[in-house]
Amino acid sequence: HDEYKTDRRFIMIKKIVMRRCATYNDTGIVIDDCDRVNFIYGHNGSGKSTISNFLNDLQCPRFHDCSIV
């Protein structure tokens, strides 16, 4: 759809970096090749909701050490 090309709310995430929040320590994690990711799964308490909350509110202060590319 052409509407998605001009709407900056729709971006392709290439990499997610999660560190120093919730279950993620100083080392954190890096999820590369996000163009191949359709969903994230894992055990309870493994950080799935934290990733979702970060992607929902990138400006939230508790995610100051997290990033997307």
Side-chain angles (χ1 to χ4, degrees):
H1 295 13
D2 289 335
E3 64 198 49
Y4 297 136
K5 293 178 183 176
T6 58
D7 191 340
R8 296 194 183 270
R9 293 177 299 157
F10 298 99
I11 60 169
M12 178 64 73
I13 298 171
K14 295 180 171 95
K15 177 167 65 170
I16 302 171
V17 178
M18 301 296 294
R19 64 174 55 104
R20 295 187 194 106
C21 65
T23 59
Y24 301 105
N25 61 16
D26 289 350
T27 303
I29 64 155
V30 175
I31 303 172
D32 287 321
D33 293 330
C34 288
D35 58 333
R36 299 179 56 124
V37 174
N38 290 320
F39 62 92
I40 296 172
Y41 69 95
H43 294 287
N44 290 343
S46 62
K48 302 176 302 292
S49 293
T50 303
I51 293 172
S52 177
N53 292 335
F54 167 59
L55 294 176
N56 186 53
D57 187 1
L58 299 173
Q59 303 303 316
C60 180
R62 70 182 173 142
F63 300 120
H64 68 275
D65 289 318
C66 303
S67 60
I68 61 171
V69 176

